[in-house]
Amino acid sequence: MDPTTLVPNNSLLTATPEEGRQLAVKMSRLIVKATQPDAQKREQLRDVYANDAGLLLAVTHTVAIEFATIAAANNYWK
Amino acid sequence: MDPTTLVPNNSLLTATPEEGRQLAVKMSRLIVKATQPDAQKREQLRDVYANDAGLLLAVTHTVAIEFATIAAANNYWK
Amino acid sequence: MDPTTLVPNNSLLTATPEEGRQLAVKMSRLIVKATQPDAQKREQLRDVYANDAGLLLAVTHTVAIEFATIAAANNYWK
Amino acid sequence: MDPTTLVPNNSLLTATPEEGRQLAVKMSRLIVKATQPDAQKREQLRDVYANDAGLLLAVTHTVAIEFATIAAANNYWK
Amino acid sequence: MDPTTLVPNNSLLTATPEEGRQLAVKMSRLIVKATQPDAQKREQLRDVYANDAGLLLAVTHTVAIEFATIAAANNYWK
Amino acid sequence: MDPTTLVPNNSLLTATPEEGRQLAVKMSRLIVKATQPDAQKREQLRDVYANDAGLLLAVTHTVAIEFATIAAANNYWK
């Protein structure tokens, strides 16, 4: 299996929605890392998607799905 | 972690569906901001997706997913 | 925040699945409106996606996600 | 609102998974119809997506989301 | 309605996750069949998506959504 | 049905979120394998998507959906 740690602290539980949102961003980036281990290459690719409207929207799309899972895991921090 | 605040007021709870919907739009835009911190660049990109049928639909797609999470968090404001 | 009203009647609750489905269509269009306020421009864009197989499918995709939320909000009208 | 009926029989409840699946297909096609009312145009577009690998997969994608909602509405026909 | 049977055995219930996963693959392929009834054409199209990185990922995407529904239907085989 | 085993250990239950995340990655790759059985071909395709910003995001997208199912199956490891 991939050596990359895919879930920081091995937990979906966070104190607040903000931390949950940051975890969602982090977890989606860790999948990019697991698929493309070369850090320099990833930097180049991040420059591509940070400057392309469609790819930026694809980032928001994945984060929205990851966040849905993390929010449910934390019972929406209610 | 990204300095950008990703969840306004650090809560998913809103008084009404309209506020929940506006939060969904805001949260998806904050992910664009976290990925592309340059405000001028973001303005240019927003002009791209506001005038492209496919990209406009991609915006609706992400907002729909974010809203699903926020609506569940608010028990559909029932 | 966007001046556009994003949730008609500020409620996800509808009397029937048909009304819920129409609401899903309406809510996705209101996100297009919030992103592209120019009505004439939106008319041109609607003509683009109404005549493009891929974009038509993207419309169905977003409506399906919006409807999932509205259907859950209405407990599937059971 | 669109004159097209978007939910046949104004109900998500079906006797079997097969009927539920057929409803999912039908409901996604009705959104295409509501977006492109011209039947001849739709026939041409269906020919496009029926012969394009990517578009065929986009069809499966939307049906999968619609079916998830219908299956939940019917408590998975258990 | 389409003559193609869309849900094998007219049930979402399977004995194991593996069978549930195979059902998810099968059900997504049956939507391709219902949309493109010509078997020879489908073979050609499968050759296209089996050799295209983006289309392969689109297949995984649809199967993931179908499987989510089947897994929920089977209460995750717990 | 496909000879490829699609669900390792025929279970969605894992001890930790990290294992659940690794399972999500593995299960999405097994669908690529079931669709493209030729290992050499898959290696070439992995090289394509590991170096393409859009395809990398498509990978994150599928893993996010698979993980949502696995996380729900494990009651979010609470």
Side-chain angles (χ1 to χ4, degrees):
Chain A
M1 199 50 73
D2 292 81
T4 312
T5 297
L6 300 180
V7 181
N9 307 315
N10 210 350
S11 170
L12 302 184
L13 304 184
T14 68
T16 68
E18 179 69 24
E19 286 178 36
R21 191 74 168 171
Q22 300 275 0
L23 178 59
V25 173
K26 180 70 177 170
M27 281 174 65
S28 62
R29 288 182 184 169
L30 286 169
I31 295 298
V32 173
K33 184 177 177 186
T35 312
Q36 174 52 272
D38 179 328
Q40 199 188 349
K41 186 67 193 176
R42 287 201 306 277
E43 265 317 300
Q44 290 163 5
L45 291 168
R46 264 186 79 178
D47 204 40
V48 171
Y49 56 72
N51 291 285
D52 177 289
L55 294 178
L56 269 169
L57 293 175
V59 171
T60 68
H61 186 180
T62 293
V63 170
I65 299 168
E66 299 282 20
F67 185 67
T69 302
I70 292 164
N74 287 276
N75 194 29
Y76 307 103
W77 298 281
K78 287 193 277 199
Chain B
M1 200 48 73
D2 292 81
T4 312
T5 297
L6 301 180
V7 182
N9 308 315
N10 209 350
S11 170
L12 302 184
L13 304 184
T14 68
T16 68
E18 179 69 26
E19 286 179 38
R21 191 73 168 171
Q22 300 275 359
L23 177 59
V25 173
K26 181 70 177 170
M27 281 173 66
S28 63
R29 288 182 184 168
L30 287 168
I31 294 297
V32 172
K33 185 177 176 185
T35 311
Q36 175 51 274
D38 179 329
Q40 198 187 349
K41 186 67 193 175
R42 286 202 307 277
E43 267 316 302
Q44 290 163 5
L45 290 167
R46 263 186 81 176
D47 204 41
V48 171
Y49 57 71
N51 292 285
D52 176 290
L55 294 177
L56 270 170
L57 293 174
V59 170
T60 68
H61 185 180
T62 294
V63 170
I65 298 169
E66 299 282 20
F67 184 67
T69 302
I70 292 164
N74 287 276
N75 195 29
Y76 307 102
W77 299 280
K78 287 193 277 200
Chain C
M1 200 47 73
D2 292 81
T4 313
T5 297
L6 300 180
V7 182
N9 308 315
N10 209 350
S11 170
L12 302 184
L13 305 185
T14 68
T16 68
E18 179 70 26
E19 287 179 37
R21 191 72 167 170
Q22 301 275 359
L23 178 59
V25 172
K26 181 70 177 171
M27 281 174 65
S28 63
R29 288 182 184 169
L30 287 169
I31 294 297
V32 172
K33 185 178 176 184
T35 311
Q36 175 52 274
D38 179 328
Q40 198 187 350
K41 186 68 192 174
R42 285 201 309 275
E43 265 318 299
Q44 289 164 3
L45 290 167
R46 264 187 78 178
D47 204 41
V48 171
Y49 56 72
N51 292 285
D52 176 291
L55 295 177
L56 270 170
L57 293 174
V59 171
T60 67
H61 185 181
T62 294
V63 170
I65 298 169
E66 299 282 20
F67 185 67
T69 302
I70 293 165
N74 287 276
N75 195 27
Y76 308 102
W77 300 279
K78 286 193 276 198
Chain D
M1 200 47 75
D2 292 80
T4 313
T5 297
L6 301 180
V7 182
N9 309 313
N10 209 349
S11 170
L12 303 184
L13 305 184
T14 68
T16 68
E18 179 69 25
E19 287 178 36
R21 191 72 168 171
Q22 301 274 0
L23 177 59
V25 172
K26 180 70 176 171
M27 281 175 65
S28 63
R29 288 182 183 168
L30 287 169
I31 295 298
V32 172
K33 184 177 176 184
T35 312
Q36 175 52 275
D38 179 328
Q40 198 187 348
K41 185 68 191 174
R42 285 201 308 276
E43 266 316 301
Q44 289 164 4
L45 290 168
R46 263 187 79 179
D47 204 41
V48 171
Y49 57 72
N51 292 284
D52 177 290
L55 295 178
L56 270 170
L57 293 175
V59 171
T60 68
H61 186 183
T62 294
V63 170
I65 298 169
E66 300 282 21
F67 185 67
T69 302
I70 293 165
N74 287 276
N75 194 28
Y76 308 101
W77 300 280
K78 286 193 276 199
Chain E
M1 198 47 73
D2 292 82
T4 312
T5 297
L6 301 180
V7 182
N9 307 315
N10 208 349
S11 170
L12 302 184
L13 305 184
T14 68
T16 68
E18 179 69 25
E19 287 178 35
R21 191 73 167 171
Q22 301 274 0
L23 177 59
V25 172
K26 180 68 175 171
M27 281 174 66
S28 62
R29 288 181 184 169
L30 286 169
I31 295 298
V32 172
K33 185 177 177 186
T35 311
Q36 175 52 275
D38 178 330
Q40 199 187 349
K41 185 68 192 174
R42 286 201 308 277
E43 266 318 300
Q44 290 163 5
L45 290 167
R46 264 186 79 179
D47 204 40
V48 169
Y49 57 73
N51 291 285
D52 177 289
L55 296 178
L56 270 169
L57 293 174
V59 171
T60 68
H61 186 180
T62 295
V63 170
I65 298 169
E66 299 282 19
F67 185 66
T69 302
I70 292 164
N74 288 276
N75 194 29
Y76 308 101
W77 299 280
K78 288 193 277 200
Chain F
M1 198 50 72
D2 292 83
T4 312
T5 297
L6 300 180
V7 181
N9 307 314
N10 208 350
S11 171
L12 302 184
L13 304 184
T14 68
T16 68
E18 179 68 25
E19 285 179 37
R21 191 74 167 170
Q22 301 274 0
L23 178 59
V25 172
K26 181 69 177 170
M27 281 174 66
S28 62
R29 288 182 184 168
L30 286 169
I31 294 298
V32 172
K33 185 177 176 185
T35 311
Q36 175 52 274
D38 178 330
Q40 199 187 348
K41 186 68 192 172
R42 286 201 306 278
E43 265 318 300
Q44 290 164 4
L45 291 167
R46 264 187 78 179
D47 204 41
V48 170
Y49 57 72
N51 292 285
D52 177 290
L55 296 178
L56 269 169
L57 293 175
V59 171
T60 67
H61 185 180
T62 294
V63 170
I65 299 169
E66 299 282 19
F67 185 66
T69 302
I70 292 164
N74 287 277
N75 194 28
Y76 308 103
W77 298 281
K78 286 193 277 200

